[in-house]
Amino acid sequence: MTVPRAWRNPEKIRHCRPRPVTDAPAQIPDSKVGQLDFLLHRSGTLDLIDAELAGRPGPDGLPVRTVLIGLLLSLHYNQSASLADACRILLDQLQPPARSWLAIPDIDRDDQWARHAFSRRVYRSFDRLTTALDPLRIDRRRRLPLAEAAAHTAAWEDNDTERLRRRALLQDISDRLVLVTVRLAQRRGLFKGWRGDIGADTTAVPAWHHEPSDQRDLASVEVTAGWHFSGGSNKGVFGHSATLLVAASRRHSVGHPNAGRRISKHPQLALGAVLDTPGKRVGPNAIHSLTTLVPLGLPVGLLAADRAYTDQKTEHFQLHARRMGYQLALDYKRDQRGVQGTHLGAILVDGTLACSCMPDVLANATTGLDDKAVRDLDETLEQRLAKREPYFLKLKQGPAPDGTIRLQCPAAGPSPSVTCARFNRLHRPQASAPVVVDLTNARATAAHRSAKPSIQISPAERLRPPNEDKLPRICRKPTITVRPGDLGMIDKFRQDRPYLSPTWHDAYKPIRSHNEGLNGRAKGHHIDIADPRKRLAHGRVAQTVLLALMILMINLQILHDWTRTSSPEPIKADDGQGYDGLVPMPPTANGLPPPPG
């Protein structure tokens, strides 16, 4: 076999050898810097920060805008919200036009002392921001005694006017960073057809630092952190809890041509994010995020949440959600299933008001069942749940914008679902001419009054009917008005779809899966909020800002992937007034700064 001539040429052999990757850092295009700068300006956070920092003593230092853009670039290219990574990007990877936009001084990048001085300016600038927003600044370089740390933790819980203002300002900055991408999707028309279905969930955000030690009488460096326990887990995660809302979608109901498919197709963005101590303000944090969506004019639909939200007090979660117009889809713990209370003579059975004469075997079909039996329904349980439906009060009117509904006795109306001797005695029906029923027509047979379930009343009531004033309110006046909070403490269990029914499964299951999908994307894809090494800055203020920046970049990546896979035409940048920040900004002439947001 003859060796090819090229193989015997030493020069060609050297050219074919793999070359080592250069140590020089990659250059970030100005278009990406301009895009993130545009989004940061459009969010409005810089105005809030500048107003808060104005008049504070000390040198201005490096602009906070520069540090935030460095963190966004680090998240995009390095998947890290570390200030050290942001320093390297700002020093080594930006081109001259972007450096001039961000007011980065020209230094000798080979001089280690100059690099160290620049990094100190970056750290001081970020520290200046966190100090201004912190309700009570403490030394985060050491672990404090438990008693001293408890006093500082109380600054996040008390009603001091200045501390309340700082906490509200911090959350406002976080909300604006998250919502800038939601506004972008709304402007692009990506929420067209979305019905406003939202899933609320709380996920763990682990801390880098050690937990408190009772033996050593030392608190954690993260004084507001705690133990987050996920549902069904006995092992806690030390850190903070993040309340996340996701734009979700229910499925088409059974009988629809597209049964089992999503009603609307849209990017499943994070609509809100609140960082808090685990177990604190679970319901109010979700309500806060829902409130920030009101000015956007987005539709209001279903709100699905897990059992952590069902356990909230009515005035903390369910009451406000209903007043905003949301319909609830909830789950229950083992001891919460079955008959949960009464209201105006009607019983609350797994979140739905029903006739007080519902058979006990149906009303208590889910009483005491564990989660496994509820998730995997057997045939007997399915049949009992299906037999409940005729006894539920019927929706006569609503829901109104404030969540008010009107319900009707199942034996009332032109199409009753049950027959009731008590109802016929109190509200005598008009005599009607006999109707011939075609027994071969299943629909006509099922609609006949004699084919409907009969309410069983006691023989004593049949022989000696009691006075009308001694009967339940729902029997005397078969239509009742239910407003948010009317059921008192048990109103937290009420929901708008019968529990474990096909309509409940079409709403709750897909929305909850969208919550888990967002959590999985935020913890296992491009950016990982569950890795504390990616956000090493100390303190709740720093963690809140870094989490908001992470959610912003996660949403931006979701929009990028969505437009590439679901848009009929690729979206291009517009160098005119139509630019909105979805794609990198087009190059600017003569090194001019990007247009303000």
Side-chain angles (χ1 to χ4, degrees), residues 410-530:
S415 301
S417 57
V418 296
T419 58
C420 179
R422 179 188 296 172
F423 178 85
N424 293 335
R425 179 176 66 85
L426 297 176
H427 313 279
R428 296 187 179 276
Q430 296 181 354
S432 58
V435 178
V436 178
V437 179
D438 183 5
L439 297 180
T440 62
N441 189 334
R443 183 174 182 180
T445 304
H448 195 268
R449 184 179 296 270
S450 61
K452 301 181 184 299
S454 298
I455 298 296
Q456 301 297 324
I457 59 177
S458 64
E461 182 178 348
R462 290 179 179 275
L463 295 176
R464 295 182 178 84
N467 295 331
E468 183 176 345
D469 57 352
K470 295 183 179 180
L471 295 175
R473 165 67 172 76
I474 187 64
C475 298
R476 291 184 279 111
K477 295 184 179 181
T479 300
I480 62 174
T481 300
V482 180
R483 301 175 180 83
D486 278 356
L487 275 67
M489 293 181 62
I490 64 172
D491 197 55
K492 67 180 184 179
F493 298 125
R494 185 166 65 92
Q495 56 181 314
D496 296 274
R497 299 192 172 202
Y499 183 55
L500 300 180
S501 66
T503 57
W504 182 87
H505 283 292
D506 290 338
Y508 186 82
K509 282 192 172 182
I511 295 178
R512 287 294 301 157
S513 67
H514 296 164
N515 267 124
E516 298 301 328
L518 177 64
N519 292 343
R521 180 148 194 163
K523 292 187 175 183
H525 284 67
H526 188 71
I527 297 175
D528 188 359
I529 66 173

Side-chain angles (χ1 to χ4, degrees), residues 58-115:
D60 294 336
L62 203 65
V64 175
R65 160 179 170 250
T66 303
V67 178
L68 295 180
I69 292 177
L71 289 170
L72 290 174
L73 291 171
S74 177
L75 284 169
H76 180 74
Y77 290 101
N78 301 329
Q79 301 83 51
S80 171
S82 170
L83 289 173
D85 292 333
C87 289
R88 283 188 284 269
I89 285 180
L90 295 175
L91 273 176
D92 302 327
Q93 298 183 245
L94 297 186
Q95 300 182 25
R99 296 174 63 87
S100 65
W101 299 342
L102 302 180
I104 299 176
D106 292 330
I107 65 173
D108 185 2
R109 286 180 285 181
D110 295 329
D111 185 353
Q112 60 175 343
W113 299 111
R115 297 179 65 90

